[in-house]
Amino acid sequence: MTAKRLISIHWFRQDLRLSDNPALSEAIESGDILPIYILDDINSNDNKMGEASRWWLHHSLSNLNKKLGGKISFYNGDPKEIFNKLSEQYDVKSIYWNRCYEPWRIKRDKDLKKDLEEKNIHIETHNGSLLWEPWTVLKNDGTPYRVFSPYYKRGCLEAPAPREPIQEPSLSNIVSNLFDSLSLDDLDLLPDVGWYEDMENLWSPGEDGAKEKLHKFLDYGLLGYKEGRNFPAKKNVSQLSPYMHFGEISPNQVWYGANMKEGVKGIADDLKHFLSELGWREFSYSLLYHFPSLPKENLQKKFDNFPWQENKKVLDRWKKGLTGYPIVDAGMRELWQTGYMHNRVRMIVGSFLVKNLLLHWHEGEKWFWDCLIDADLASNSASWQWVAGSGADAAPYFRIFNPITQGVRFDPEGEYTKKYVPELKDLPSKYLYSPWEAPDDILSEANIILGDNYPKPIVGIKESREKALSAFDKIRIK
Ligand code: FAD
């Protein structure tokens, strides 16, 4: 009998990059490395990736596989069974991976580690996705922070500085699989219906696309970020969220990359603000880690009695961007067409769903989960709880975004709104966010027939706001 080939494995997960990949670099130091990717729709249960994420993942893996000379082995199923099979085929010395923080992944990885160590396989895990892992930032009494400001200022900024990025390793130890594995296409990640064709012109998933986005942002977006990030038509946001979610760029690369701009005249406040947004990402992960029920349960229990309504027709109109409120409709259509939505508009459409329509934040969270290319269990559930007011450090319940004034203030010329709601392109700015107030002759000049080619408002703003406030009063949220 011939001896089995001695190898180690790097298991790619949310770290689809070669540079600043601590687990991969360590693995490569240790000898021959088989790189693998496992699509695990088994342990993820309710947290199975949505359609837009699958589209992104397909292209990201394709890009990574090219960089690795086509040597990634793809698998679909339960990692436990896949590693059992691999250890029958090879003499597996060690398995390396970067840690993940979703409750289902933590559970799976813990079980797996125990199982593999019992088989005398060495498991080595690293931090490749966070600036500060959740258990390293705690209050003096050892409990987790629930409020962002002290978490970030006292917790993160006073903790040891994040690890500096490391170089891409030499790939000479990467080996091909001697046995059968699946091809990327076998993972069947691309949706059956070709809704994603336009997205292929908008995004370049993968490590190179991530670096390009970062450099473009640092050169043209960072200066003016603090103010400009509120305006969806401006180019002041980085659009790095999907790249960071899939680990095509690490937060460390972004953090230190941004800090390189420290000397630019007039940039100090913008830089500080941008770094604090990376802090919000860290905070979301900390919340998810310390409060693993975050995606399912209100962090503030008094919200369990909130009289959420159920109304599929209204929900469908929100999803399709047919609410009759132009800034809300623009956001929902941006999401559908591009897989992304600007942060300011996420807050507006979120507030509209839970406060004006009184629909449960779970409905919004689920829709975002399916449609966002940056759908992220930590950031999505923490942000939805923030919008609903049910989270740890949430928007107060009486903060109900007014979609009319938000539009007027943050998209005054309607550049963003008209891009996604082109049926309003000839409506003068004065009426853009309240078309029902426009006189008949103005509507007819703009070729708008309300209730026909653009909807009448789905609810009245004043009445729905009052209804929401009285519903909040009923559960005595003071
Ligand atoms: P930039 O302004 O350039 O910020 C840089 C990075 O900081 C982002 O890429 C992101 O990683 C992080 N960041 C910025 N704002 C936040 C925030 N409020 N919370 C957490 N991280 C932040 N973000 C996701 O990555 N995935 C989600 O599923 C998600 N769902 C959201 C749902 C709702 C209802 C809301 C209100 C926000 C959600 N966010 C989510 C947060 C935020 O909207 C996005 O991270 C941001 O819009 C991404 O765009 P950007 O990369 O251009 O951000």
Side-chain angles (χ1 to χ4, degrees), residues 225 229 237-241 244 274 277-278 280-281 284 340-343 346-347 368 372 374-376 379-380 383-384 387:
Y225 175 81
R229 66 183 286 273
V237 289
S238 70
Q239 296 196 324
L240 280 167
S241 47
M244 276 203 272
F274 178 68
E277 292 302 325
L278 298 178
W280 272 101
R281 177 176 179 272
S284 303
Y340 173 88
M341 194 195 298
H342 186 276
N343 180 61
R346 291 187 203 205
M347 294 192 291
F368 272 33
L372 277 175
D374 64 19
D376 181 278
S379 297
N380 201 32
S383 299
W384 273 102
V387 167

Side-chain angles (χ1 to χ4, degrees), residues 318-336:
W318 177 81
K319 287 180 180 173
K320 289 186 177 137
L322 292 173
T323 66
Y325 285 96
I327 190 86
V328 174
D329 294 343
M332 298 311 292
R333 295 185 201 182
E334 180 188 24
L335 174 63
W336 183 250

Side-chain angles (χ1 to χ4, degrees), residues 175-429:
V175 297
S176 304
N177 201 344
L178 301 172
F179 300 90
D180 280 349
S181 68
L182 300 176
S183 70
L184 174 58
D185 286 341
D186 292 332
L187 297 186
D188 209 12
L189 289 164
L190 291 179
D192 297 335
V193 180
W195 53 260
Y196 50 83
E197 274 153 18
D198 287 347
M199 289 186 23
E200 305 203 323
N201 301 321
L202 291 174
W203 299 100
S204 306
E207 187 169 4
D208 301 330
K211 286 188 174 151
E212 208 181 303
K213 271 273 181 226
L214 175 64
H215 290 130
K216 202 165 159 201
F217 170 70
L218 295 181
D219 289 345
Y220 303 107
L222 182 58
L223 187 64
Y225 175 81
K226 188 176 176 194
E227 179 64 13
R229 66 183 286 273
N230 287 307
F231 294 80
K234 291 195 178 173
K235 304 263 179 270
N236 282 104
V237 289
S238 70
Q239 296 196 324
L240 280 167
S241 47
Y243 298 96
M244 276 203 272
H245 170 75
F246 286 100
E248 293 152 33
I249 195 161
S250 71
N252 308 61
Q253 289 170 305
V254 179
W255 178 273
Y256 283 102
N259 272 305
M260 298 277 280
K261 296 282 172 187
E262 206 178 355
V264 173
K265 195 165 167 251
I267 214 166
D269 281 354
D270 297 316
L271 174 60
K272 199 167 152 200
H273 202 95
F274 178 68
L275 297 178
S276 78
E277 292 302 325
L278 298 178
W280 272 101
R281 177 176 179 272
E282 302 285 314
F283 184 53
S284 303
Y285 274 86
S286 174
L287 288 176
L288 181 63
Y289 179 81
H290 292 294
F291 306 98
S293 63
L294 181 79
K296 293 229 175 324
E297 293 171 19
N298 298 309
L299 280 190
Q300 294 190 41
K301 292 295 162 212
K302 53 194 169 193
F303 272 81
D304 291 354
N305 300 322
F306 190 82
W308 302 110
Q309 314 221 322
E310 276 181 40
N311 190 331
K312 188 175 170 323
K313 242 181 166 166
V314 165
L315 177 62
D316 279 349
R317 279 181 62 179
W318 177 81
K319 287 180 180 173
K320 289 186 177 137
L322 292 173
T323 66
Y325 285 96
I327 190 86
V328 174
D329 294 343
M332 298 311 292
R333 295 185 201 182
E334 180 188 24
L335 174 63
W336 183 250
Q337 287 169 34
T338 71
Y340 173 88
M341 194 195 298
H342 186 276
N343 180 61
R344 162 74 36 193
V345 194
R346 291 187 203 205
M347 294 192 291
I348 299 171
V349 304
S351 168
F352 190 77
L353 181 86
V354 296
K355 296 185 177 172
N356 297 101
L357 301 180
L358 289 181
L359 299 178
H360 201 294
W361 62 265
H362 282 161
E363 297 292 356
E365 188 258 347
K366 269 193 280 178
W367 185 243
F368 272 33
W369 183 256
D370 205 27
C371 298
L372 277 175
I373 49 175
D374 64 19
D376 181 278
L377 195 64
S379 297
N380 201 32
S381 34
S383 299
W384 273 102
Q385 292 233 26
W386 182 90
V387 167
S390 60
D393 177 9
Y397 76 91
F398 51 79
R399 185 166 177 200
I400 301 179
F401 283 79
N402 179 321
I404 304 163
T405 48
Q406 289 283 314
V408 170
R409 189 160 163 215
F410 294 112
D411 189 26
E413 303 305 320
E415 201 184 322
Y416 168 84
T417 304
K418 289 180 179 179
K419 178 173 175 190
Y420 293 106
V421 189
E423 55 272 41
L424 302 181
K425 71 180 186 335
D426 295 323
L427 194 60
S429 301

